[in-house]
Amino acid sequence: MENDVVFKRLMQAMGVGGPSVETVLANPTCRPGGQLEGRIQVAGGDHQVDIDHVALGLVTRVEVESGDNDYDTMQEFHRQQVTGAFRLEPGQRHDIPFRFDVPWETPVTELYGQHLHGMTMGLRTELQVARAVDKGDLDAVSVHPLPAQERLLDALLRLGFRFARADVERGHIYGVRQTLPFYQEIEFSPAPQYARSINQLEVTFIADPQQMQVVLEVDKRGGVFTEGRDAFGRFTVDHATADRTDWTAELDGWLRQSLSRRGLFS
């Protein structure tokens, strides 16, 4: 009998027969600055447990450059606790509704109904019992661009640029107000009229409730007597007035001017 009690306690300590957690999103799509809504269903196991808390974390894959050792890692970048402590009886079900705030700087994962190659985004549910943390599976989340972001991306497509891939890189961009420890780069192959001058164009958005900072990086092609170099452009767009600008003409003008300075475009 005593051995049975010890074995049961050991199994409980290992999480066997413990509570289970399932997160159900009302809608897995959102925009930066929006919300994700849903319910967390916690079901009791075969013994009583005291839950310390239930929390949610937004997670994405981030590329890290560390000397000669580059690697990818899954990084949680926003977290909300949805409950405090409560007791869960054997077989009891606990239903927890939530609204999760999505940061304004959250990378986008979709563009015109297509998933951006290279992007991973998910919501992870964390259940803590007796200082032991159970991090559940990622529930996939789709982040669509803000209207202002869509207008600039649409302008690039109208100019003939083609989406190549996207990634998230750890670090901060010089001279840009940034709250998250990483930034997204959306990479485009050059439009035909620029193909002889540049290799690729990278776009980064850093948004807040009023405006977004846009960073353009052009990877220029080198000539016979010149080496290729990058050109950078940075400007701010107000969400409220973004639709008053002809972004196709603006971006085309900036690109032509930048390349002409280097004698790469005529």
Side-chain angles (χ1 to χ4, degrees), residues 5 21 34 71 78 86 112 133 164-165 202 235 237:
V5 173
V21 183
Y71 61 93
H78 185 59
F86 63 94
Y112 298 110
V133 177
R165 66 185 300 273
E202 297 176 346
F235 53 92
V237 180

Side-chain angles (χ1 to χ4, degrees), residues 147-160:
Q149 294 170 339
E150 280 186 340
R151 289 185 175 91
L152 269 77
L153 294 172
D154 184 59
L156 289 174
L157 296 177
R158 289 177 184 275
L159 285 171

Side-chain angles (χ1 to χ4, degrees), residues 35-259:
Q35 288 186 325
L36 290 165
E37 298 185 20
R39 310 183 81 82
I40 301 171
Q41 299 168 347
V42 183
D46 58 16
H47 56 273
Q48 180 191 83
V49 292
D50 289 321
I51 308 293
D52 293 335
H53 71 251
V54 179
L56 292 167
L58 200 54
V59 179
T60 193
R61 185 171 60 221
V62 177
E63 293 187 8
V64 181
E65 293 186 7
S66 178
D68 295 331
N69 182 27
D70 297 348
Y71 61 93
D72 292 349
T73 183
M74 297 300 292
Q75 180 165 349
E76 179 181 285
F77 62 95
H78 185 59
R79 178 183 179 85
Q80 282 182 210
Q81 186 170 313
V82 293
T83 72
F86 63 94
R87 175 162 292 177
L88 190 67
E89 301 294 338
Q92 181 184 6
R93 292 185 174 273
H94 205 66
D95 203 33
I96 309 163
F98 68 84
R99 287 184 177 178
F100 184 90
D101 297 322
V102 178
W104 282 92
E105 293 179 25
T106 299
V108 299
T109 66
E110 315 293 319
L111 182 58
Y112 298 110
Q114 299 294 317
H115 181 75
L116 297 185
H117 175 67
M119 290 303 304
T120 299
M121 186 73 62
L123 193 65
R124 175 173 284 157
T125 307
E126 176 184 289
L127 180 74
Q128 180 165 324
V129 180
R131 295 187 298 278
V133 177
D134 176 20
K135 293 190 176 183
D137 295 334
L138 284 181
D139 291 289
V141 171
S142 299
V143 184
H144 293 256
L146 293 162
Q149 294 170 339
E150 280 186 340
R151 289 185 175 91
L152 269 77
L153 294 172
D154 184 59
L156 289 174
L157 296 177
R158 289 177 184 275
L159 285 171
F161 286 88
R162 300 179 309 281
F163 170 74
R165 66 185 300 273
D167 60 22
V168 178
E169 299 188 10
R170 182 175 292 177
H172 288 77
I173 301 174
Y174 178 77
V176 173
R177 296 188 309 276
Q178 186 181 333
T179 62
L180 294 182
F182 54 68
Y183 56 91
Q184 181 181 35
E185 289 186 335
I186 304 175
E187 301 177 8
F188 289 87
S189 300
Q193 65 269 34
Y194 306 112
R196 295 178 60 185
S197 305
I198 63 177
N199 290 315
Q200 67 181 18
L201 172 68
E202 297 176 346
V203 182
T204 295
F205 299 116
I206 307 292
D208 65 31
Q210 287 76 41
Q211 59 190 19
M212 68 176 182
Q213 299 164 88
V214 183
V215 180
L216 301 176
E217 180 179 350
V218 175
D219 180 12
K220 296 180 178 179
R221 291 189 187 278
V224 177
F225 301 107
T226 60
E227 65 173 311
R229 296 185 61 186
D230 292 346
F232 295 89
R234 188 171 68 224
F235 53 92
T236 301
V237 180
D238 292 334
H239 295 303
T241 58
D243 57 351
R244 301 177 191 173
T245 300
D246 182 349
W247 289 110
T248 305
E250 286 286 323
L251 293 174
D252 185 52
W254 180 83
L255 286 166
R256 290 174 182 270
Q257 184 180 44
S258 173
L259 296 172

